[in-house]
Amino acid sequence: RDDVESRGLGDVYKRQEERKATRTSNMKDDQKQQLLEDIQRVMEHTDEYCQQEFTVGSLAKLIGSNERYVSMVINDHYGKSFTELLNDCRIKKACERLTDDTEYANLTITAIGQSVGYKSQTTFIKQFRKCTGLTPSVYQKFVAEDRLKEHTVE
């Protein structure tokens, strides 16, 4: 009896995976490619994602698509969820800002976290550590030490 039930459950999972594959295959390759390019344009060349309330819906609206297609393309191309991609982009931007000696030099780590979309310092530090393996302050210190070494070697 357990074998029959587990086999039935396996069939359910198999059908779910087949439906997922069918949904993404309903989009033509050129549509997927265009959507991917639009997603990359927003996530790599604007600061829109630094808004605290930025969602997959916000992204979809910016590029003239819907949330479902945007999520599917992100999942297929990046192998991660929208939230994971958003955190990666925000932390990358935070790294740039933490080491910017001109425009962001006077900001605290908390303020830099807020400037890339994090409401909470705790969440910012947690995500930063998850992406880089370091806290923002340690990262900032390492970069400063590297710059100092570069200047003393020259």
Side-chain angles (χ1 to χ4, degrees), residues 42-119:
V42 171
M43 301 305 282
E44 295 173 10
H45 302 292
T46 75
D47 286 347
E48 293 288 336
Y49 60 88
C50 291
Q51 297 173 28
Q52 288 184 353
E53 302 302 324
F54 193 75
T55 64
V56 68
S58 309
L59 177 58
K61 187 175 180 179
L62 280 171
I63 62 178
S65 187
N66 67 53
E67 294 178 29
R68 191 168 140 243
Y69 285 154
V70 170
S71 289
M72 284 189 301
V73 169
I74 289 171
N75 292 338
D76 289 349
H77 181 75
Y78 294 99
K80 55 182 74 172
S81 70
F82 167 77
T83 303
E84 291 169 320
L85 176 64
L86 177 62
N87 281 321
D88 289 351
C89 291
R90 285 178 169 174
I91 296 305
K92 180 179 176 186
K93 182 63 71 175
C95 287
E96 293 171 12
R97 292 179 179 181
L98 283 165
T99 58
D100 183 330
D101 290 337
T102 55
E103 193 171 344
Y104 297 94
N106 295 328
L107 292 184
T108 64
I109 287 173
T110 300
I112 288 175
Q114 290 171 343
S115 80
V116 297
Y118 291 99
K119 295 177 188 176

